[in-house]
Amino acid sequence: MTRIILFLLLIIIVAIQFFQPEKNENGGRKSPDEITGLYTIPANVQTILKQACYDCHSNNTRYPWYAGIQPVGWLMAAHIREGKKELNFDEYGAYSSKRQRNKMKRMKEQVTAGKMPLSSYTLIHADARLTTGQKELIANWIDSTLELHTGDH
Ligand code: HEC
């Protein structure tokens, strides 16, 4: 009985490998609505965002090798889909200015509270773990950007 169950499990594990989720990749193409076209982002802040946020909040994910293993890849795809729906740095310029400001505030909240990047992500991506200094850099950049853009409607 145990053998049959193990055998069936093996079959299932092999079978699900044939269902690879579509990858979130744009081949490095530049989007006209990138956040960089809207705000000035200092290089050190940009580096942090790229390293810690872009995998789930842009149109281009850097995939690790194990993304090809299911169900790992499916879980990643779900995070990316949800993450992009909430915040996409490649489509930021297309948001209403109210939404743009709101997302900036949310970013500061999430980063300061340590809720972003997701802990399931920083568990593996050590380079995405933010130090207090890096969190402050992001918070300060958001404060000065919001101050500069208060007049927008
Ligand atoms: C592993 C994927 C992943 C990474 C990396 C990640 N996020 Fe997220 N993010 C999500 C998901 C999924 C959601 C939506 C569900 C939730 O809020 O937990 C989200 C939601 C958010 C929201 C909420 C938007 C709103 O309006 O409520 C903000 C802001 C955000 N992320 C900012 C960031 C920032 C800034 C970083 C980098 C420092 C980052 N995220 C890194 C997956 C990720």
Side-chain angles (χ1 to χ4, degrees):
M1 188 62 191
T2 323
R3 272 209 201 153
I4 294 175
I5 291 173
L6 283 177
F7 181 69
L8 283 177
L9 263 180
L10 186 71
I11 300 261
I12 290 171
I13 289 168
V14 171
I16 66 175
Q17 303 313 314
F18 290 97
F19 298 89
Q20 299 282 337
E22 199 186 319
K23 288 204 163 168
N24 179 44
E25 284 171 337
N26 63 2
R29 237 178 309 117
K30 287 215 150 260
S31 152
D33 296 320
E34 266 181 66
I35 190 170
T36 46
L38 190 69
Y39 303 140
T40 308
I41 310 180
N44 52 1
V45 172
Q46 183 67 25
T47 305
I48 300 170
L49 297 180
K50 286 237 157 101
Q51 235 164 38
C53 318
Y54 268 59
D55 279 347
C56 300
H57 292 292
S58 80
N59 291 335
N60 203 35
T61 303
R62 303 158 300 167
Y63 284 95
W65 62 267
Y66 48 82
I69 300 172
Q70 306 317 326
V72 179
W74 295 345
L75 292 174
M76 277 183 194
H79 274 161
I80 295 165
R81 198 168 47 238
E82 273 181 63
K84 276 173 67 171
K85 204 168 67 188
E86 292 287 343
L87 171 71
N88 188 337
F89 288 113
D90 283 329
E91 280 156 27
Y92 210 90
Y95 294 170
S96 71
S97 53
K98 184 172 169 223
R99 186 167 158 93
Q100 288 166 349
R101 272 201 307 276
N102 186 36
K103 291 296 170 188
M104 286 292 269
K105 288 182 200 150
R106 300 284 296 141
M107 257 191 262
K108 184 179 163 189
E109 282 165 19
Q110 299 278 329
V111 167
T112 310
K115 289 193 184 145
M116 285 288 150
L118 290 182
S119 53
S120 59
Y121 180 81
T122 48
L123 192 72
I124 303 158
H125 295 82
D127 64 350
R129 283 176 212 149
L130 302 183
T131 64
T132 311
Q134 286 176 316
K135 288 180 192 170
E136 275 169 15
L137 267 177
I138 294 181
N140 290 342
W141 164 67
I142 290 174
D143 285 343
S144 56
T145 305
L146 283 175
E147 217 166 283
L148 213 73
H149 289 259
T150 39
D152 299 356
H153 290 289

Coordinates of all heavy atoms in Angstrom, one line a residue, residues 13-48:
I13 N 4.4 14.2 -9.0 CA 5.5 15.2 -9.0 C 6.1 15.3 -10.4 O 6.3 16.4 -10.9 CB 6.6 14.8 -8.0 CG1 6.0 15.0 -6.6 CG2 7.8 15.6 -8.2 CD1 6.8 14.4 -5.5
V14 N 6.2 14.2 -11.1 CA 6.8 14.3 -12.5 C 5.8 15.0 -13.4 O 6.1 15.8 -14.2 CB 7.1 12.8 -13.0 CG1 7.4 12.9 -14.5 CG2 8.3 12.2 -12.2
A15 N 4.5 14.6 -13.2 CA 3.5 15.2 -14.1 C 3.4 16.7 -14.0 O 3.3 17.4 -15.0 CB 2.1 14.5 -13.9
I16 N 3.5 17.2 -12.8 CA 3.3 18.7 -12.7 C 4.4 19.5 -13.2 O 4.3 20.6 -13.5 CB 3.0 19.1 -11.2 CG1 4.2 18.9 -10.3 CG2 1.7 18.5 -10.6 CD1 4.0 19.4 -8.9
Q17 N 5.6 18.8 -13.5 CA 6.7 19.5 -14.1 C 6.4 20.0 -15.5 O 7.1 20.9 -16.0 CB 8.0 18.6 -14.1 CG 8.4 18.2 -12.7 CD 8.4 19.2 -11.6 OE1 8.9 20.3 -11.8 NE2 7.8 18.9 -10.5
F18 N 5.4 19.3 -16.1 CA 5.0 19.7 -17.5 C 4.2 21.0 -17.5 O 4.0 21.6 -18.6 CB 4.3 18.6 -18.2 CG 5.2 17.4 -18.5 CD1 5.3 16.3 -17.6 CD2 6.0 17.5 -19.6 CE1 6.1 15.3 -17.9 CE2 6.9 16.4 -19.8 CZ 6.9 15.3 -19.0
F19 N 3.8 21.5 -16.3 CA 3.0 22.7 -16.3 C 3.8 23.8 -15.8 O 3.8 24.2 -14.6 CB 1.7 22.5 -15.5 CG 0.8 21.4 -16.0 CD1 1.0 20.1 -15.6 CD2 -0.1 21.7 -17.0 CE1 0.2 19.1 -16.2 CE2 -1.0 20.7 -17.5 CZ -0.8 19.4 -17.1
Q20 N 4.6 24.4 -16.6 CA 5.5 25.5 -16.3 C 4.7 26.8 -16.4 O 4.1 27.1 -17.4 CB 6.7 25.6 -17.2 CG 7.6 24.3 -17.1 CD 8.5 24.3 -15.9 OE1 8.8 25.3 -15.3 NE2 8.9 23.1 -15.5
P21 N 4.7 27.7 -15.4 CA 4.0 29.0 -15.5 C 4.7 29.9 -16.5 O 5.9 29.7 -16.7 CB 4.0 29.5 -14.1 CG 5.2 28.9 -13.4 CD 5.4 27.5 -14.1
E22 N 4.0 30.8 -17.1 CA 4.6 31.7 -18.0 C 5.5 32.6 -17.2 O 5.2 33.0 -16.1 CB 3.5 32.6 -18.7 CG 4.0 33.2 -20.0 CD 2.9 34.2 -20.5 OE1 1.8 33.7 -20.5 OE2 3.3 35.3 -21.0
K23 N 6.7 33.0 -17.7 CA 7.7 33.8 -17.0 C 7.4 35.3 -17.1 O 6.9 35.7 -18.2 CB 9.1 33.4 -17.4 CG 9.5 32.1 -17.0 CD 11.0 32.0 -16.9 CE 11.4 30.8 -16.0 NZ 12.8 30.4 -16.1
N24 N 7.7 36.0 -16.1 CA 7.6 37.4 -16.1 C 8.9 38.1 -16.6 O 9.7 38.4 -15.8 CB 7.3 37.9 -14.6 CG 7.1 39.4 -14.5 OD1 6.5 40.0 -15.4 ND2 7.7 40.0 -13.5
E25 N 9.0 38.1 -17.9 CA 10.3 38.6 -18.5 C 9.9 39.5 -19.7 O 9.0 39.1 -20.5 CB 11.1 37.4 -18.9 CG 11.8 36.7 -17.8 CD 12.5 35.5 -18.2 OE1 12.1 34.9 -19.3 OE2 13.4 35.0 -17.5
N26 N 10.6 40.6 -19.8 CA 10.4 41.4 -21.0 C 11.6 41.6 -21.8 O 11.7 42.5 -22.7 CB 9.8 42.8 -20.6 CG 10.8 43.6 -19.7 OD1 11.9 43.1 -19.5 ND2 10.3 44.7 -19.3
G27 N 12.6 40.8 -21.5 CA 13.9 40.8 -22.3 C 14.6 42.1 -22.2 O 15.3 42.5 -23.1
G28 N 14.5 42.8 -21.0 CA 15.2 44.0 -20.7 C 14.6 45.2 -21.5 O 15.3 46.3 -21.5
R29 N 13.5 45.1 -22.1 CA 12.9 46.2 -22.8 C 12.5 47.3 -21.9 O 12.0 47.0 -20.8 CB 11.7 45.7 -23.6 CG 11.8 46.0 -25.1 CD 10.6 45.5 -25.9 NE 10.3 44.1 -25.6 CZ 9.1 43.7 -25.0 NH1 8.2 44.6 -24.7 NH2 8.8 42.5 -24.8
K30 N 12.7 48.5 -22.3 CA 12.4 49.7 -21.4 C 10.9 50.0 -21.6 O 10.4 50.0 -22.7 CB 13.2 50.9 -21.8 CG 14.7 50.8 -21.3 CD 15.2 52.2 -20.9 CE 16.2 52.1 -19.8 NZ 15.8 52.3 -18.5
S31 N 10.2 50.2 -20.5 CA 8.8 50.6 -20.6 C 8.7 52.1 -20.5 O 9.5 52.8 -19.8 CB 8.1 50.0 -19.4 OG 7.0 50.8 -19.1
P32 N 7.8 52.7 -21.3 CA 7.7 54.2 -21.3 C 7.2 54.7 -20.0 O 7.3 55.9 -19.7 CB 6.7 54.5 -22.4 CG 6.0 53.2 -22.7 CD 6.9 52.1 -22.3
D33 N 6.6 53.8 -19.2 CA 5.9 54.3 -17.9 C 6.8 53.9 -16.7 O 6.2 53.9 -15.6 CB 4.5 53.6 -17.8 CG 3.6 54.1 -18.9 OD1 3.7 55.3 -19.2 OD2 2.9 53.3 -19.5
E34 N 8.0 53.7 -16.9 CA 8.9 53.4 -15.7 C 8.9 54.5 -14.7 O 8.8 55.7 -15.1 CB 10.3 53.2 -16.2 CG 10.7 51.8 -16.5 CD 12.2 51.7 -17.0 OE1 13.0 52.0 -16.2 OE2 12.4 51.3 -18.2
I35 N 9.0 54.1 -13.5 CA 9.0 55.1 -12.4 C 10.2 56.1 -12.5 O 10.1 57.3 -12.1 CB 9.0 54.4 -11.0 CG1 8.8 55.4 -9.9 CG2 10.3 53.6 -10.8 CD1 8.6 54.8 -8.5
T36 N 11.3 55.7 -13.1 CA 12.4 56.5 -13.3 C 12.1 57.7 -14.2 O 12.8 58.7 -14.2 CB 13.6 55.7 -13.9 OG1 13.1 55.0 -15.0 CG2 14.2 54.8 -12.9
G37 N 11.1 57.6 -15.1 CA 10.7 58.7 -15.9 C 10.0 59.8 -15.2 O 9.8 60.9 -15.6
L38 N 9.5 59.4 -14.0 CA 8.6 60.3 -13.2 C 9.3 61.0 -12.1 O 9.2 62.2 -11.9 CB 7.5 59.4 -12.6 CG 6.3 60.1 -12.0 CD1 5.5 60.8 -13.0 CD2 5.5 59.1 -11.2
Y39 N 10.1 60.2 -11.4 CA 10.8 60.7 -10.2 C 12.3 60.6 -10.4 O 12.8 59.7 -11.1 CB 10.5 59.9 -8.9 CG 9.0 59.9 -8.6 CD1 8.5 58.7 -8.1 CD2 8.2 61.0 -8.7 CE1 7.2 58.6 -7.7 CE2 6.9 60.9 -8.3 CZ 6.3 59.7 -7.8 OH 5.0 59.6 -7.5
T40 N 13.1 61.5 -9.8 CA 14.5 61.4 -9.7 C 14.8 60.3 -8.6 O 14.4 60.5 -7.5 CB 15.2 62.7 -9.3 OG1 14.6 63.7 -10.2 CG2 16.7 62.6 -9.5
I41 N 15.5 59.3 -9.0 CA 15.9 58.3 -8.0 C 17.4 58.2 -7.9 O 18.0 57.8 -8.9 CB 15.3 56.9 -8.4 CG1 13.8 57.0 -8.7 CG2 15.5 55.9 -7.3 CD1 13.1 55.7 -9.1
P42 N 17.9 58.5 -6.7 CA 19.4 58.4 -6.6 C 19.9 57.0 -6.8 O 19.1 56.1 -6.6 CB 19.6 58.8 -5.1 CG 18.4 59.4 -4.6 CD 17.2 58.9 -5.5
A43 N 21.1 56.9 -7.3 CA 21.6 55.6 -7.7 C 21.5 54.5 -6.6 O 21.2 53.4 -6.8 CB 23.0 55.7 -8.3
N44 N 21.9 55.0 -5.4 CA 21.9 54.0 -4.3 C 20.5 53.5 -3.9 O 20.3 52.3 -3.6 CB 22.6 54.6 -3.0 CG 22.1 55.9 -2.6 OD1 21.2 56.5 -3.2 ND2 22.7 56.5 -1.6
V45 N 19.5 54.4 -4.1 CA 18.1 53.9 -3.9 C 17.6 53.0 -5.0 O 17.0 52.0 -4.7 CB 17.1 55.2 -3.8 CG1 15.7 54.7 -3.7 CG2 17.5 56.0 -2.5
Q46 N 18.0 53.4 -6.2 CA 17.6 52.6 -7.4 C 18.2 51.1 -7.2 O 17.5 50.2 -7.5 CB 18.2 53.2 -8.6 CG 17.8 52.6 -9.9 CD 16.3 52.6 -10.2 OE1 15.6 53.5 -9.8 NE2 15.9 51.6 -11.0
T47 N 19.4 51.0 -6.7 CA 20.1 49.7 -6.6 C 19.3 48.9 -5.6 O 19.0 47.7 -5.8 CB 21.5 49.9 -6.1 OG1 22.2 50.8 -7.0 CG2 22.2 48.6 -6.0
I48 N 18.9 49.5 -4.5 CA 18.1 48.8 -3.4 C 16.8 48.3 -4.0 O 16.4 47.1 -3.9 CB 17.8 49.7 -2.2 CG1 19.1 50.1 -1.6 CG2 17.0 48.9 -1.2 CD1 18.9 51.2 -0.5

